[in-house]
């Protein structure tokens, strides 16, 4: 996938992130077929369908019980198998989302460098053990991981 398409899909993930009602952390993801450059699904972090969107549930630590993550929402929203797809994510996936990516046979993960694996954002939110588990799982499963800029440049 060339730089132009990477930039387009990361910008779409950023646009989708803005749908989130979580003002402290807006996360977006966009799943694409890298062979045809066709969109497959998207997701953002928020309340599960049918659950009351109560602002009291937006505060930490309560929101961790209610909010679904963008990556899993994109996977749930897909109406097809995700074998060999690519996912663009505005923030480093957590261990739970990493397992979902692996189990759905997505083969490439593009993460915005600003919130990538080695960013201050990720280091402040995930313990060293959490980060190591994420990277180990992705590596062992053969998932290609790329950090990119908003312009789609490989970092």
């Amino acid at each position: 996938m060339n730089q132009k398409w990477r930039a387009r899909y990361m910008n779409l993930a950023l646009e989708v992130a803005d749908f989130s009602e979580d003002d402290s952390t807006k996360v977006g993801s966009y799943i694409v077929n890298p062979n045809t450059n066709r969109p497959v699904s998207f997701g953002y972090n928020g309340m599960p369908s049918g659950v009351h969107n109560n602002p009291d549930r937006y505060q930490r630590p309560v929101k961790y019980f209610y909010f679904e993550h963008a990556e899993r929402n994109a996977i749930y929203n897909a109406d097809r198998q995700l074998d060999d797809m690519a996912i663009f994510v505005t923030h480093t996936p957590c261990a739970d989302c990493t397992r979902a990516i692996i189990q759905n046979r997505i083969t490439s993960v593009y993460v915005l460098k600003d919130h990538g694996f080695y960013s201050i954002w990720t280091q402040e939110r995930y313990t060293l053990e959490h980060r190591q588990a994420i990277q180990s799982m992705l590596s062992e499963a053969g998932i290609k991981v790329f950090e990119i800029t908003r312009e789609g440049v490989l970092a």
Side-chain angles (χ1 to χ4, degrees):
M1 185 179 312
N2 68 32
Q3 179 180 334
K4 179 173 99 173
W5 284 103
R6 289 190 305 261
R8 285 177 175 169
Y9 287 123
M10 185 53 74
N11 283 317
L12 284 167
L14 288 162
E15 183 70 26
V16 168
D18 200 43
F19 295 173
S20 174
E21 294 183 359
D22 183 353
D23 289 329
S24 65
T25 310
K26 292 180 178 286
V27 181
S29 66
Y30 211 89
I31 299 174
V32 303
N33 182 326
N35 298 316
T36 62
N37 286 329
R38 292 185 177 249
V40 174
S41 184
F42 67 89
Y44 55 92
N45 59 316
M47 292 289 171
S49 298
V51 174
H52 295 292
N53 204 356
N54 183 336
D56 293 343
R57 296 175 175 173
Y58 291 12
Q59 304 305 313
R60 289 182 184 97
V62 173
K63 78 175 187 174
Y64 299 129
F65 299 125
Y66 289 94
F67 270 63
E68 186 54 86
H69 288 194
E71 301 92 326
R72 290 193 306 262
N73 271 332
I75 289 168
Y76 302 149
N77 291 336
D79 63 354
R80 59 185 285 183
Q81 292 294 111
L82 298 175
D83 300 46
D84 302 320
M85 297 297 138
I87 188 168
F88 287 77
V89 188
T90 59
H91 295 67
T92 296
C94 69
D96 293 336
C97 289
T98 296
R99 290 191 305 272
I101 288 166
I102 293 167
Q103 287 298 95
N104 282 276
R105 296 176 294 285
I106 293 170
T107 55
S108 300
V109 177
Y110 291 85
V111 178
L112 185 63
K113 183 175 173 59
D114 297 354
H115 303 112
F117 291 96
Y118 305 104
S119 69
I120 297 297
W121 184 91
T122 299
Q123 291 176 17
E124 289 175 347
R125 282 157 183 82
Y126 298 154
T127 65
L128 176 61
E129 293 80 13
H130 193 155
R131 295 190 316 268
Q132 289 172 335
I134 294 165
Q135 290 179 319
S136 291
M137 286 189 285
L138 290 168
S139 175
E140 291 170 24
I143 309 289
K144 296 178 203 142
V145 178
F146 306 94
E147 289 194 356
I148 63 173
T149 66
R150 293 171 191 263
E151 296 77 30
V153 176
L154 295 171

